Amino acid sequence: MEHSKINMRQLFVLIVLFEHGSAIVIPLGASAKQDAWIAILLSLVLGLLLILVYERLFHYYPDQPLTSYVTHIVGKPLGKVLAVLYITYFFHITARVLRDFGELLLTFAYPETPLFVLNALMAMTVMYGAYKGIEVLARTGELLYTLLHILAVVGFLLVIASGVVDLTQIQPVLEEGWKRVWKTVFTETLYVPFGEMIVFTMLFPYLNRPEKARRAAVAGMVLTGINLAIIMVVNTAVLGAAVSRSSFPLLDTIRRIRVAHFLERLDVFFMVALVIEGFFKVSIFFYAGIVGVAHVFGFSNHQRLVYAFGVLVLLWSVAMASNYWEHIHEGLKIVTFYLHIPMQIIIPVLLLVIAAIRRRFGQSAK
């Protein structure tokens, strides 16, 4: 394992940047319509329960990532299988998020540029970051974190100043009752972005003070959940019913900014901020996959794996769907039920139960 260490603040920053990632690009919780913000807050509460599961597993094995301690919990044969499944899962989500941002750039900035070229540019920066290691990524995140929050506050104030916010468009609250909201929670918003915190089970061992992992994770998730709820309130108040039909609602909201016939067309300016956050999400998933491969297959240096798997993820991101709508459909209907639910909820909960039983009775898996 890489010998670099990160502190609690750096972990907090990485979590915030990661959790925002593609969540501020896609129409998060749009199926709940004007109640999307409620679905996000409910998902945050359930997501905090999941992070307690992940952190407790880390508490039992504080010096190992998920792909290592899973063999101690269920034994080497089954543990190796689960470890490979998680590695594949991390790489698959890396490719999906890379595709999200490639489609974003393709739609709003470079319509004549091939998707492969756009994805390749981000993939190269991600590979470079992963090659340098988690400490470099964390320090880079610290440098950009304040800048991104300034941009967020400025953007919020400009949207308000433009006079395009109509709070009546988020009413009536719970027009169709709780059923639609809970359906959105359990089919969408719980898994992206909150359940994706499973990836940090690969990064917790790098924390210089392991006992601070829970505090950093909970703080980062709470801040993210509140931010995402506010963003969806603003998007709905600006776009109205169109928010559920928009591919990139936040960018559509930003494009409505008109202040004194002077400040307008700021979508490219803020798209840079979105891509930066996307970079961290792709990088963390990719780094987790690389570290997993190194642990499972006995590589002493993860850097030897970066470029081969980087090219694999790049090709995967382009080939996974023929167009954006197919990509989104697969993400909502297939990935959620066949990947997110088992990998984020079912398997970790079972692992925790087994680990707790073994710890209770002093057993160890062979």
Side-chain angles (χ1 to χ4, degrees):
M1 190 171 90
E2 185 182 349
H3 297 295
S4 301
K5 290 292 183 180
I6 60 176
N7 58 39
M8 177 182 168
R9 171 180 164 77
Q10 290 172 329
L11 178 63
F12 168 80
V13 167
L14 287 177
I15 288 171
V16 172
L17 294 175
F18 170 86
E19 289 278 278
H20 281 76
S22 57
I24 60 175
V25 176
I26 62 175
L28 185 67
S31 60
K33 299 182 181 179
Q34 72 269 21
D35 297 322
W37 63 277
I38 300 177
I40 291 171
L41 293 178
L42 291 174
S43 298
L44 169 62
V45 174
L46 297 177
L48 291 174
L49 297 179
L50 286 179
I51 199 62
L52 294 180
V53 173
Y54 306 155
E55 192 276 335
R56 192 62 183 174
L57 284 168
F58 170 65
H59 176 75
Y60 287 157
Y61 306 93
D63 58 343
Q64 299 178 49
L66 170 63
T67 50
S68 288
Y69 64 66
V70 69
T71 59
H72 296 289
I73 296 175
V74 298
K76 286 188 177 181
L78 180 57
K80 289 280 187 180
V81 172
L82 289 177
V84 171
L85 287 176
Y86 270 104
I87 291 168
T88 306
Y89 175 68
F90 294 147
F91 282 136
H92 179 74
I93 304 302
T94 301
R96 291 200 64 82
V97 180
L98 183 61
R99 178 65 178 260
D100 286 337
F101 284 90
E103 294 284 359
L104 170 69
L105 293 171
L106 188 67
T107 302
F108 284 93
Y110 307 102
E112 303 300 323
T113 305
L115 177 65
F116 177 84
V117 174
L118 297 174
N119 285 7
L121 291 173
M122 178 171 277
M124 285 189 290
T125 61
V126 167
M127 285 187 279
Y128 180 75
Y131 185 87
K132 288 298 183 181
I134 188 62
E135 188 174 352
V136 171
L137 283 174
R139 290 180 177 178
T140 304
E142 281 188 299
L143 291 174
L144 296 174
Y145 176 78
T146 303
L147 171 64
L148 292 173
H149 266 273
I150 291 174
L151 289 177
V153 172
V154 171
F156 178 76
L157 294 176
L158 288 176
V159 170
I160 299 297
S162 297
V164 295
V165 175
D166 180 7
L167 293 178
T168 62
Q169 297 199 89
I170 66 172
Q171 300 173 347
V173 177
L174 297 175
E175 179 183 12
E176 299 181 16
W178 286 98
K179 182 178 179 181
R180 185 176 66 185
V181 173
W182 283 113
K183 181 180 178 181
T184 302
V185 169
F186 289 112
T187 58
E188 298 178 34
T189 51
L190 174 58
Y191 316 109
V192 179
F194 303 110
E196 291 177 325
M197 282 291 294
I198 185 68
V199 75
F200 279 88
T201 57
M202 302 295 293
L203 303 186
F204 285 155
Y206 295 106
L207 193 61
N208 59 2
R209 298 182 64 184
E211 71 276 7
K212 300 291 186 181
R214 179 185 299 184
R215 185 182 302 179
V218 169
M221 289 182 67
V222 169
L223 177 60
T224 299
I226 293 172
N227 285 347
L228 293 176
I230 292 173
I231 288 171
M232 283 309 299
V233 167
V234 173
N235 287 342
T236 305
V238 172
L239 303 176
V243 72
S244 62
R245 300 190 297 270
S246 174
S247 300
F248 308 107
L250 179 58
L251 280 176
D252 286 341
T253 296
I254 292 170
R255 298 181 80 177
R256 302 287 184 94
I257 293 176
R258 301 285 190 279
V259 179
H261 303 287
F262 172 66
L263 289 173
E264 56 183 45
R265 297 295 300 170
L266 299 178
D267 48 306
V268 174
F269 179 65
F270 285 98
M271 190 168 61
V272 172
L274 302 183
V275 170
I276 290 174
E277 292 182 328
F279 161 78
F280 282 98
K281 185 158 190 175
V282 175
S283 296
I284 289 171
F285 267 120
F286 181 67
Y287 185 79
I290 291 294
V291 169
V293 172
H295 275 278
V296 172
F297 297 100
F299 287 90
S300 59
N301 190 341
H302 78 279
Q303 294 174 326
R304 298 167 56 188
L305 306 169
V306 167
Y307 296 109
F309 281 93
V311 172
L312 174 64
V313 166
L314 171 60
L315 297 176
W316 197 346
S317 72
V318 176
M320 65 170 46
S322 58
N323 56 62
Y324 179 71
W325 294 111
E326 181 182 330
H327 170 66
I328 292 296
H329 174 78
E330 289 178 357
L332 292 176
K333 304 300 182 183
I334 299 176
V335 174
T336 294
F337 295 101
Y338 294 99
L339 289 180
H340 288 333
I341 292 177
M343 305 302 279
Q344 296 177 5
I345 300 177
I346 298 175
I347 295 176
V349 170
L350 290 176
L351 289 175
L352 180 60
V353 171
I354 296 171
I357 292 173
R358 292 188 181 281
R359 190 178 181 89
R360 171 80 174 180
F361 296 102
Q363 299 175 349
S364 60
K366 301 298 183 182

